[in-house]
Amino acid sequence: MFSKEYFIYLLKSKKYLLLFIGLITILNLLGNKESSLSMITSCLIALVSAYGMPLIVFYFVHDKKAVDTFFSIPVSRKALLYSSLLFCIVCTAVPYLISAVVFGLSKSFDVLLILSYVLIVTLMTICALVIFNTMIYLLANNAIDGVIMLGAYTVLPLSVLICINSFLLSFVCGVIDIPLEFLGYCSPLYMFVSAALKYGDKMPDFISAIFSLLISVAGLFVLKKQFVEREVERASTTSDGFFTYPFIIAVYVMLSLISIASFFSYQYSSLFKYLSDYFFVYLLLFAVFVAAHFIYRRKLYFDYRLPTYFIVAMVLSLVFAFAARGSRGFGISESYTKNDRHAYYTINEWCEYNTETYRYLNEQLGSGVTYISIYIDAGNENGNIELEEESAAIFDKLREEAISLYYSDYEAYHESDISNMNVSSKNGSRTSNYFYQIRSLTLDELKTLARDKNCYVIINCDLGDYVMDANGQLQVRNVYVG
């Protein structure tokens, strides 16, 4: 399982590289007066090492001549694998852990906190990052493809996040934040950086440590096939394994098509109008798709299956987009708590001229008023204030009307920007936030809200600020001078 001789060989053969890493680490610790800057630099050094070491140590796997030599030495492949992984982890972790300990002591962190961060969270995230990078690098059959795959898989969680966000921004009305933190636990890079940024918190990020352990175990399982059971004939050949170019190209194209459809198609009622307007965008993506196959095949390559797959994927993405629009974001837009009397509501509105509300307010304010704005503050962010049932019903009605307009007439929804509503709703320890463009409130709705003791209707004009009381009368809050 482990070869001491091979590990020593790696130490000797990479001694100049190790000296260079050690020198940079020492200079960083001694040269940076700001301990925080020193920690950031140490983090960058660790990241470069976590990506660079697997490429250097396992390069022989992709070299036809070297792979025969290394696999013929009197050391089992398992021993080669685990010794090499340990070497990469040690070279990455030791300089960073030293820096983390020095930083923690300089900040007078609790010793238990330092040890739990250094020995559990950081070590586990670094192990996961090194093992994951090695696994991805060895999926390929040559060094160039290995580097490309490493970059593609590293960015994949971010690409998925962008795709999901484009869907949410386009097809889900009102929702500002949906918990997507789980995507971070699919990325060893994110977990390591996140753990580094949280160093010093009262509680280390043990969740990242647990997910890192799971990724490490899964990575070792894959490496058993990609290294221990590897056929030497794969070296320097085309990387045609399912999880290399075929999978990566297909996934990125599908994500791109969904993102394009989400960003642009939501405002179109006619599919043909949409396709005619964005034909060039799809043509450009198809060109990139074909170029990716040139790189994959290492030659000019075209097959009828390429346009067939692209057209099928494009159709599926458009079906997805129009289904999302027709179902109000697959129901996510309506997943809020109905008639939530414990939510926190705020409304900002410019009162339009020649409306019943404007005339009523203007009569009370008197002459010299050139503008009137309305601000409503109901409930609080802690969710421990209960609004009247009539008030909650008004807010719910405004919300539902805004959602209906969003999906029936997108342009009209965004043109009605004189009034907007923010909603903050607590659900246990989590707070969900929403934002809507709403219609203007009627005078009756305004008076109903003013009767709620936990709802404040504030009127602002040239003369000052006023609060509407339970009788619909304006009480002076603040008078402007000059």
Side-chain angles (χ1 to χ4, degrees):
M1 296 289 287
F2 175 75
S3 173
K4 179 181 176 181
E5 293 77 12
Y6 188 69
F7 189 82
I8 293 174
Y9 160 75
L10 288 174
L11 289 173
K12 291 180 178 179
S13 62
K14 306 294 187 293
K15 59 185 178 183
Y16 294 113
L17 178 60
L18 297 179
L19 287 172
F20 178 70
I21 295 174
L23 181 62
I24 291 179
T25 302
I26 293 171
L27 290 175
N28 176 48
L29 291 173
L30 298 177
N32 277 326
K33 295 180 180 180
E34 288 290 335
S35 56
S36 298
L37 181 60
S38 174
M39 197 63 190
I40 293 172
T41 305
S42 298
C43 185
L44 293 175
I45 294 171
L47 287 176
V48 172
S49 182
Y51 279 86
M53 278 298 176
L55 273 60
I56 295 171
V57 173
F58 288 94
Y59 176 79
F60 70 88
V61 174
H62 297 311
D63 189 306
K64 280 187 176 181
K65 295 179 180 179
V67 70
D68 289 327
T69 302
F70 276 84
F71 279 172
S72 63
I73 62 176
V75 177
S76 69
R77 289 195 183 183
K78 277 189 177 180
L80 281 177
L81 174 63
Y82 294 128
S83 302
S84 300
L85 285 175
L86 181 61
F87 176 77
C88 294
I89 291 170
V90 168
C91 293
T92 302
V94 170
Y96 182 77
L97 296 182
I98 292 173
S99 300
V101 171
V102 172
F103 176 78
L105 293 175
S106 69
K107 293 293 184 180
S108 300
F109 290 162
D110 184 77
V111 175
L112 184 60
L113 175 65
I114 296 174
L115 291 177
S116 60
Y117 173 79
V118 168
L119 298 180
I120 300 177
V121 179
T122 303
L123 195 56
M124 289 306 304
T125 53
I126 287 177
C127 286
L129 186 57
V130 170
I131 292 172
F132 177 83
N133 290 343
T134 303
M135 175 190 71
I136 299 301
Y137 183 60
L138 295 186
L139 285 176
N141 294 342
N142 60 77
I144 295 176
D145 289 347
V147 173
I148 294 174
M149 290 299 107
L150 189 53
Y153 274 97
T154 297
V155 180
L156 185 57
L158 178 61
S159 302
V160 173
L161 179 63
I162 292 172
C163 183
I164 293 176
N165 274 327
S166 67
F167 160 75
L168 295 176
L169 289 171
S170 301
F171 296 118
V172 180
C173 177
V175 179
I176 296 177
D177 56 342
I178 288 182
L180 299 174
E181 295 87 352
F182 67 93
L183 288 174
Y185 297 118
C186 299
S187 170
L189 173 61
Y190 173 86
M191 286 190 288
F192 170 69
V193 174
S194 177
L197 293 174
K198 293 177 182 177
Y199 185 27
D201 290 353
K202 291 183 179 180
M203 181 62 69
D205 188 4
F206 290 119
I207 297 178
S208 290
I210 294 171
F211 276 92
S212 295
L213 177 61
L214 295 176
I215 290 175
S216 298
V217 172
L220 291 173
F221 178 79
V222 174
L223 283 170
K224 181 178 181 294
K225 179 175 178 61
Q226 297 300 326
F227 186 89
V228 178
E229 302 173 5
R230 191 183 189 88
E231 297 177 356
V232 295
E233 292 80 9
R234 286 175 55 182
S236 300
T237 61
T238 302
S239 301
D240 55 359
F242 175 77
F243 287 104
T244 55
Y245 283 107
F247 176 77
I248 284 296
I249 293 175
V251 168
Y252 270 94
V253 166
M254 197 68 224
L255 291 175
S256 299
L257 287 169
I258 292 175
S259 297
I260 291 172
S262 297
F263 273 126
F264 303 120
S265 69
Y266 63 88
Q267 53 186 315
Y268 284 84
S269 56
S270 170
L271 176 62
F272 295 103
K273 173 63 175 173
Y274 164 71
L275 290 177
S276 63
D277 286 352
Y278 290 96
F279 174 77
F280 179 75
V281 175
Y282 283 104
L283 183 63
L284 182 62
L285 181 60
F286 179 69
V288 174
F289 173 62
V290 173
H293 279 82
F294 292 167
I295 298 173
Y296 165 31
R297 302 285 182 174
R298 297 292 193 275
K299 63 179 181 181
L300 295 178
Y301 169 82
F302 193 83
D303 188 274
Y304 75 92
R305 287 172 292 187
L306 297 184
T308 301
Y309 169 80
F310 188 85
I311 291 172
V312 170
M314 185 177 73
V315 170
L316 290 176
S317 69
L318 291 172
V319 169
F320 170 84
F322 281 90
R325 180 177 176 178
S327 61
R328 296 190 173 190
F330 301 114
I332 299 176
S333 293
E334 298 173 322
S335 61
Y336 58 88
T337 302
K338 304 299 187 293
N339 291 308
D340 191 353
R341 297 172 64 182
H342 294 276
Y344 177 48
Y345 303 91
T346 60
I347 292 178
N348 288 282
E349 177 185 331
W350 284 100
C351 194
E352 293 184 281
Y353 296 107
N354 299 321
T355 62
E356 182 185 13
T357 303
Y358 185 88
R359 289 192 294 270
Y360 175 82
L361 295 175
N362 195 45
E363 285 178 6
Q364 295 196 49
L365 293 170
S367 60
V369 174
T370 59
Y371 75 89
I372 298 175
S373 66
I374 302 170
Y375 175 72
I376 297 172
D377 187 286
N380 67 11
E381 294 179 339
N382 297 322
N384 54 9
I385 291 179
E386 186 175 69
L387 300 173
E388 296 292 339
E389 189 174 342
E390 293 81 0
S391 300
I394 290 173
F395 291 125
D396 223 45
K397 183 180 179 182
L398 292 169
R399 204 173 193 177
E400 175 57 35
E401 289 177 356
I403 293 173
S404 297
L405 183 61
Y406 183 91
Y407 292 105
S408 63
D409 194 337
Y410 180 84
E411 290 184 2
Y413 173 85
H414 282 281
E415 286 174 358
S416 59
D417 58 354
I418 61 171
S419 185
N420 60 71
M421 177 171 69
N422 286 280
V423 184
S424 180
S425 181
K426 287 191 72 68
N427 184 10
S429 60
R430 176 168 179 79
T431 301
S432 299
N433 297 300
Y434 307 85
F435 175 84
Y436 303 93
Q437 301 280 92
I438 61 172
R439 62 167 173 79
S440 299
L441 279 79
T442 65
L443 181 58
D444 287 341
E445 288 173 335
L446 210 60
K447 289 181 177 181
T448 301
L449 293 176
R451 287 195 293 269
D452 191 330
K453 63 180 180 179
N454 293 314
C455 182
Y456 300 93
V457 178
I458 301 171
I459 309 300
N460 175 266
C461 66
D462 312 63
L463 307 177
D465 297 331
Y466 301 80
V467 177
M468 182 177 287
D469 62 21
N471 298 317
Q473 301 302 306
L474 301 186
Q475 306 299 324
V476 177
R477 184 180 183 222
N478 181 37
V479 176
Y480 298 152
V481 178

